Amino acid sequence: MLFEEVASYYEKLENVSSRLAMIDILSEMLGKAKRGEIRPLIYMTQGLLGPPFEGIDLGMAEKSAQHAIATATGYHNEEVVSVSRRLGDIGDAAEELVKKTKLRRMGSKRHGAVDVFETMIKIAHTGGAGSQEGKRNLLVSLLTASSPLEARYIIRFALGKLRLGAGDATILEALSKEATGTRENKPKLENAYNICSDLGKVGEILTESGMEGIGKLKVSLFSPVRPALAERLPTAEEILEKMHGRCAVESKYDGLRAQVHIDRGRRRVEIFSRNLEKITPMLPEIVKAALSEVKAEKAILEGEAIAYDETTREFRPFQETIQRKRKTGIEELSRSMPLHLFAFDLMFLDGEDYLNKPYEERREKLESILKKEGTILTSGRIIVDKPRDLEKYFEEQIEEGLEGIVAKELNSPYVAGARKFSWIKLKRSYKGELSDTVDLAIVGYYIGRGQRTEFGFGGLLAAAYNEKRDMFETVTRIGTGFSEEQMKNFKKILDKIKVPHKPARVDSLVTPDFWVEPKYVVEVRADEITRSPMHTCGRDSNDTGYALRFPRIVSDGVRGDKSADEATTTKEIIEMYGQQKRIKVEDA
Ligand code: ATP
């Protein structure tokens, strides 16, 4: 498949906003891929060079890309900068300058889609001194032989600005349609995706071994499983009723979620975060304990890493745990403020896939491979069948300085990547506040007025994620509660991703001063959820959506462990609205 073809599909994608039209275009494009091409094609369409957990970063600086365009087209660097500014996009600038260039083009050489992908991989792997020059030369080699349209997407891809508007859910649906003739197999493909977190791999298995191959996919070491998520219910009675009268109740630790993959023979450990980034170097004491304390040759277990003082037996606040998310000084921190892992699940053990085994069996096995003392411990838990006992355990956890509890259904499998009632969280909350915080995707921001003019930042437009539509629906404007430092930081990071028009996956009736590509998530607390004609979140046939009342930021800045697609969903907002009404009626 030629890259020119891929580029023209990308152009078509950019020009449609209906999800069904996107699925049609994507499935037609995927259908053109030959053997061996589907994997790179999917990664490329995601704007990636491999599955996200491998974290392959092109590391291309905008300045290098400008230089590359200048060299390949014979224009001065200043001209490239000024055209980019005029068009508002450096990819569009590359397209225009390639169209206008007087330099002789290497027209006879046509790029294969896989060749472009492989050159990008080379760019990513070019490191060391003079790496920007090396990266630039590779980019020039692509641009000197590309058509204007190809240049547009090569540059956007190289700078991580592809923004085709197709999320993972849409790509999965397109794959289903292309390979099986119907969109209805999407849930099965999603299931496979939840097990391996690798859309390219799912696409490859599907095209090579069909749905049978998809059904056989098993969890494998060093390929993270998408985490199971918890639903919410406001009272112990409701939780027990949902759990058919009996369930496990575990302590809920407020730390960093960690999925630990262990291969003792090879002395290899990898740890993945909530959004499946490799965080191994940040947790040296847990890596060490994984090799010395866990009684298994090969295992995948999951838990919460949290700063815990063994002497005073005190859990430390989240702000202390999160200090680990930095690049330097880790060894020192691991001595002065060591973390413990409170393991709560087991996904794989010595060649056996545990995902489909019931919770009780997974938990029993987990306890059998861990010691009673050390760095890796099992999470606290009891089994209850009375609301009063659940409440008592909840109160005890709060006393201990923990966040609350997670109730777990005894016979449920590990439901990878989904929010189901087999896990239900109950957190401490205060009167007059929504029972839980929400995590919202930033889709736009406002420039500061009055006192804030100097920061160039006056607030955020935030959205929930609608899984069914694969769209971001606005739910609130957040204009208060920012420190000066936060305002500066938001402005800095959002400026890098601002776009001239409303992004394809955003549904909004409100227009902020600047739109941004949905990428970052902020944690927000509010007093209440109300019905509102202003916001698109959960909008019904009367054009009434849902909105937050008195929203304020809780996270220090953006939440580093969640991507926009992992924001609180519209469905959750509607559920929380329903629960809040119930509580009010009970209060009255
Ligand atoms: P979510 O993970 O549900 O999207 P979130 O990241 O904001 O939301 P919470 O709402 O606080 O997190 O609750 C779920 C999180 O609780 C899990 O992702 C996990 O990191 C953490 N957790 C702590 N203790 C446990 C436990 N015993 N069992 C399961 N999860 C736990």
Side-chain angles (χ1 to χ4, degrees):
M1 192 175 185
L2 292 174
F3 187 68
E4 181 72 50
E5 257 183 296
V6 176
S8 64
Y9 279 115
Y10 286 176
E11 186 180 36
K12 279 190 204 158
L13 272 179
E14 268 192 83
N15 291 329
V16 295
S17 55
S18 124
R19 186 151 181 270
L20 288 180
M22 272 187 184
I23 292 171
D24 285 344
I25 295 166
L26 278 169
S27 70
E28 192 182 314
M29 177 183 81
L30 294 167
K32 296 263 170 75
K34 301 211 176 63
R35 213 181 161 80
E37 290 180 335
I38 192 91
R39 211 170 165 129
L41 189 58
I42 290 176
Y43 295 143
M44 204 144 60
T45 307
Q46 290 181 289
L48 299 170
L49 290 173
F53 57 86
E54 279 179 3
I56 313 172
D57 182 13
L58 271 151
M60 189 91 202
E62 179 127 356
K63 279 218 163 73
S64 295
Q66 285 164 357
H67 273 292
I69 300 169
T71 314
T73 58
Y75 284 92
H76 282 297
N77 217 29
E78 293 72 36
E79 180 72 11
V80 180
V81 175
S82 111
V83 178
S84 291
R85 237 180 242 142
R86 173 166 53 82
L87 299 176
D89 178 83
I90 183 167
D92 290 347
E95 179 177 13
E96 181 169 310
L97 294 173
V98 166
K99 210 180 280 170
K100 282 182 15 191
T101 181
K102 304 262 171 358
L103 291 187
R104 217 153 58 87
R105 313 286 300 159
M106 295 162 70
S108 57
K109 188 172 169 245
R110 307 194 64 195
H111 295 308
V114 175
D115 299 334
V116 171
F117 182 78
E118 280 171 358
T119 307
M120 294 290 176
I121 297 258
K122 269 194 214 148
I123 293 179
H125 289 159
T126 304
S131 65
Q132 281 302 326
E133 195 185 339
K135 287 175 193 285
R136 197 167 65 223
N137 291 341
L138 285 163
L139 197 55
V140 171
S141 74
L142 280 179
L143 290 175
T144 45
S146 68
S147 70
L149 192 66
E150 284 178 313
R152 181 203 295 178
Y153 293 107
I154 285 171
I155 287 295
R156 287 191 191 163
F157 188 32
L159 289 173
K161 293 183 171 175
L162 201 52
R163 298 185 211 117
L164 297 172
D168 293 354
T170 303
I171 299 178
L172 276 169
E173 217 157 317
L175 263 175
S176 169
K177 179 162 185 234
E178 196 286 312
T180 70
T182 157
R183 291 191 285 132
E184 276 162 27
N185 281 314
K186 183 197 160 206
K188 288 188 184 145
L189 297 183
E190 199 162 24
N191 205 21
Y193 177 46
N194 288 336
I195 294 173
C196 68
S197 315
D198 183 343
L199 265 191
K201 184 171 175 178
V202 172
E204 192 169 88
I205 296 177
L206 182 65
T207 44
E208 288 178 7
S209 336
M211 288 307 288
E212 205 187 325
I214 290 292
K216 284 190 187 145
L217 187 77
K218 292 259 175 278
V219 56
S220 64
L221 217 47
F222 305 117
S223 183
V225 176
R226 306 228 306 147
L229 304 173
E231 274 285 356
R232 303 174 181 83
L233 279 176
T235 63
E237 282 83 9
E238 282 174 84
I239 293 176
L240 264 167
E241 196 185 317
K242 198 80 181 176
M243 296 280 186
H244 313 290
R246 193 163 177 267
C247 66
V249 190
E250 297 192 8
S251 318
K252 185 172 192 304
Y253 304 88
D254 191 12
L256 296 171
R257 190 168 185 160
Q259 195 179 117
V260 187
H261 291 232
I262 310 166
D263 183 341
R264 198 140 69 140
R266 297 212 169 92
R267 303 208 56 77
R268 181 172 174 208
V269 174
E270 292 292 357
I271 307 180
F272 299 94
S273 67
R274 159 90 173 64
N275 65 346
L276 309 182
E277 270 171 21
K278 268 187 201 157
I279 49 170
T280 322
M282 295 171 193
L283 307 168
E285 65 274 57
I286 292 173
V287 172
K288 202 166 146 220
L291 293 171
S292 60
E293 294 179 12
V294 181
K295 289 175 255 163
E297 277 310 306
K298 292 190 166 93
I300 305 177
L301 44 95
E302 191 181 34
E304 194 83 358
I306 182 168
Y308 174 65
D309 188 329
E310 266 183 313
T311 333
T312 59
R313 295 185 174 261
E314 263 180 351
F315 292 99
R316 309 297 307 157
F318 182 68
Q319 286 70 17
E320 289 185 21
T321 304
I322 197 75
Q323 286 190 34
R324 225 25 112 71
K325 288 208 128 190
R326 50 154 101 151
K327 294 216 163 71
T328 54
I330 299 273
E331 276 301 332
E332 202 182 310
L333 265 182
S334 76
R335 281 189 294 275
S336 63
M337 207 188 290
L339 303 189
H340 280 64
L341 182 79
F342 288 86
F344 53 73
D345 225 309
L346 178 70
M347 291 138 160
F348 176 85
L349 180 66
D350 294 335
E352 208 170 336
D353 188 331
Y354 267 65
L355 292 184
N356 284 322
K357 298 191 190 283
Y359 163 81
E360 265 300 68
E361 192 179 333
R362 299 197 310 276
R363 173 77 195 198
E364 210 173 283
K365 201 71 185 175
L366 178 70
E367 286 177 8
S368 79
I369 61 166
L370 295 179
K371 295 187 174 163
K372 294 270 176 297
E373 283 185 1
T375 294
I376 305 184
L377 303 163
T378 39
S379 58
R381 75 146 197 178
I382 58 165
I383 307 272
V384 298
D385 55 13
K386 293 189 197 66
R388 183 65 213 119
D389 294 342
L390 196 155
E391 274 162 17
K392 192 163 159 264
Y393 191 75
F394 175 81
E395 298 300 339
E396 284 165 11
Q397 303 317 299
I398 302 295
E399 283 280 291
E400 290 277 325
L402 297 176
E403 255 199 316
I405 56 104
V406 185
K408 297 188 176 175
E409 194 171 57
L410 298 169
N411 335 323
S412 167
Y414 185 92
V415 195
R419 198 177 294 281
K420 290 273 150 65
F421 281 100
S422 45
W423 285 14
I424 306 174
K425 58 189 173 189
L426 182 62
K427 290 203 242 181
R428 173 193 190 142
S429 62
Y430 298 94
K431 243 194 152 69
E433 275 182 352
L434 209 54
S435 66
D436 196 1
T437 55
V438 289
D439 297 310
L440 302 176
I442 304 175
V443 297
Y445 74 94
Y446 296 86
I447 43 177
R449 295 197 171 80
Q451 273 185 336
R452 294 179 181 186
T453 320
E454 64 171 301
F455 303 108
F457 176 86
L460 300 168
L461 178 63
Y465 176 56
N466 185 324
E467 290 170 293
K468 279 218 178 98
R469 301 176 63 207
D470 193 13
M471 292 283 276
F472 293 91
E473 300 176 337
T474 70
V475 67
T476 195
R477 275 180 64 160
I478 310 161
T480 50
F482 301 101
S483 66
E484 290 187 4
E485 192 65 24
Q486 281 180 332
M487 289 198 253
K488 278 189 214 148
N489 281 340
F490 274 119
K491 161 99 178 127
K492 195 165 140 209
I493 61 166
L494 296 178
D495 265 356
K496 289 198 184 128
I497 55 164
K498 70 182 180 197
V499 284
H501 307 290
K502 181 164 69 63
R505 285 207 293 161
V506 174
D507 185 8
S508 178
L509 301 168
V510 187
T511 306
D513 291 329
F514 294 107
W515 293 107
V516 297
E517 203 54 46
K519 174 173 179 175
Y520 296 116
V521 167
V522 280
E523 186 174 4
V524 179
R525 187 174 286 289
D527 283 4
E528 198 179 9
I529 298 174
T530 54
R531 301 303 309 264
S532 153
M534 282 261 294
H535 289 287
T536 52
C537 175
R539 204 143 65 108
D540 59 17
S541 50
N542 296 326
D543 288 342
T544 312
Y546 294 81
L548 301 187
R549 210 165 98 89
F550 297 133
R552 56 235 176 234
I553 294 267
V554 182
S555 46
D556 203 21
V558 297
R559 259 192 83 154
D561 63 344
K562 272 194 177 181
S563 57
D565 287 12
E566 286 160 326
T568 299
T569 59
T570 298
K571 184 168 160 267
E572 289 179 82
I573 298 278
I574 299 174
E575 273 173 14
M576 287 171 85
Y577 176 76
Q579 291 175 7
Q580 145 199 295
K581 257 181 35 196
R582 273 210 310 279
I583 296 175
K584 277 193 176 160
V585 172
E586 281 159 17
D587 277 355

